Amino acid sequence: MANRRNALPSNVSGDFFVDSSCIDCDTCRIVAPSSFARVGDQSAVVRQPEDDDEVLAAQKAAVACPTSSIGSASKARVREAIGAYPECIEGDVHFCGYTSESSFGAHSYLVGTTAGNLLIDSPRFAGPLVTRIAAMGGVRRMLLTHSDDVADHARFHAQFGCERLIHMADAGRGRDAMERMLEGNGPTELEPGLLAIPVPGHTRGSVVFLWQERYLFSGDHLAWSERLGHLYAFRSACWYSWSAQIESMKRLLDYRFEWVLPGHGRRANLPAAEMRASLERCVEWMESHG
């Protein structure tokens, strides 16, 4: 629980606050950008919510926060916020909220398919979320983009019996726990409409998942930069090889998609041709930042 006594001095006065346990994961700034912003190296409330929708957004940010660093004395709309996740992005694609500190607040996604639900990376194993996912049909398969964002995968597997998939290069000591592992750098069709595309760079075994040639679940390989105005990669958070990540990014130019849904960073939704042009700009930017 957030502690008002440890509230950051950068918060504006009012009901909502961020305390000193904030790890600067960016989740609150994505979920409720009208209320939260980065001040120094942590998030803070820079504008108190002014209407019911903004209050609900701020409470959803508090629910999603991996370190429970956001507090509110009034608790207004908190029950709605607790039950808001998984939250529909479009169609059968949902944002899970309830991020985990062990994955530094990485975002995860639930995808409904006729054969059963897919969970892209692991959210926090939180009771309200687990109950909602169960009501939506549980989890048939968990697709892990890389080793950083596995969080509570074992608890979700124990709860739902889902098959877990990760690239062998990122399996590490936990490889015996995984039901399936990918190998090599070639794409694998996991089922009709679902491709696993290895993209070594951020980690040696990073993988993106392309669903229905529309949704690219990109882990920490690719995200949107509001500052640059195009897609980009995290130069300061490349744990394996920047040159390998550039080559992986170039290979994505062979695929069509309209959404980029990352673990960290901002989402993007553009027509396919514009998305490809933005990816080309990303490659150019990456090559200039070697």
Side-chain angles (χ1 to χ4, degrees):
M1 295 289 290
N3 189 331
R4 176 77 72 170
R5 289 175 295 180
N6 297 328
L8 296 169
S10 48
N11 293 302
V12 298
S13 61
D15 185 29
F16 284 86
F17 66 94
V18 179
D19 75 12
S20 59
S21 64
C22 170
I23 59 173
D24 192 29
C25 74
D26 198 33
T27 294
C28 66
R29 307 191 295 260
I30 293 172
V31 174
S34 64
S35 295
F36 300 94
R38 193 179 196 212
V39 181
D41 59 0
Q42 291 177 301
S43 292
V45 178
V46 295
R47 176 178 166 273
Q48 291 290 335
E50 295 181 354
D51 59 34
D52 281 349
D53 288 343
E54 290 184 352
V55 168
L56 179 57
Q59 292 289 16
K60 288 195 294 185
V63 168
C65 175
T67 49
S68 300
S69 301
I70 300 169
S72 161
S74 71
K75 307 294 185 184
R77 306 200 71 175
V78 69
R79 289 189 178 181
E80 292 171 77
I82 289 171
Y85 298 114
E87 181 178 54
C88 181
I89 295 173
E90 180 183 83
D92 292 322
V93 176
H94 300 78
F95 168 50
C96 289
Y98 289 94
T99 65
S100 171
E101 185 176 6
S102 67
S103 62
F104 198 73
H107 291 192
S108 56
Y109 305 91
L110 186 74
V111 181
T113 79
T114 56
N117 294 333
L118 307 173
L119 190 58
I120 316 294
D121 288 328
S122 175
R124 187 181 351 134
F125 192 84
L129 176 65
V130 174
T131 298
R132 282 286 307 279
I133 289 176
M136 295 169 71
V139 182
R140 171 174 58 94
R141 175 179 275 176
M142 178 182 285
L143 309 176
L144 300 167
T145 59
H146 65 297
S147 56
D148 296 350
D149 295 351
V150 300
D152 289 336
H153 72 93
R155 299 183 70 182
F156 279 96
H157 171 73
Q159 180 74 24
F160 295 112
C162 53
E163 176 191 67
R164 292 162 293 177
L165 179 148
I166 196 169
H167 197 284
M168 180 175 286
D170 263 28
R173 295 180 180 177
R175 67 178 56 195
D176 291 340
M178 299 294 162
E179 287 68 46
R180 184 173 177 184
M181 287 184 287
L182 298 172
E183 297 183 58
N185 287 336
T188 299
E189 185 178 36
L190 300 176
E191 58 191 73
L194 178 63
L195 276 181
I197 307 168
V199 285
H202 172 71
T203 63
R204 187 176 181 183
S206 288
V207 178
V208 299
F209 297 98
L210 179 59
W211 172 242
Q212 302 288 19
E213 294 189 318
R214 181 166 175 80
Y215 306 98
L216 187 77
F217 300 96
S218 59
D220 290 351
H221 177 70
L222 179 66
W224 179 263
S225 170
E226 294 180 347
R227 179 179 64 85
L228 296 173
H230 60 72
L231 296 168
Y232 83 124
F234 300 106
R235 182 65 183 94
S236 61
C238 180
W239 313 134
Y240 173 59
S241 167
W242 186 245
S243 60
Q245 191 162 357
I246 292 172
E247 293 307 308
S248 296
M249 203 71 73
K250 289 178 180 177
R251 290 198 296 274
L252 287 184
L253 290 167
D254 294 336
Y255 300 93
R256 180 189 186 279
F257 50 92
E258 298 177 12
W259 281 90
V260 169
L261 298 167
H264 288 104
R266 307 303 168 99
R267 304 171 192 164
N269 177 212
L270 296 169
E274 293 181 30
M275 189 68 82
R276 190 183 195 283
S278 187
L279 186 58
E280 290 174 341
R281 292 181 67 190
C282 172
V283 171
E284 293 173 1
W285 177 86
M286 291 177 73
E287 290 179 327
S288 69
H289 286 72

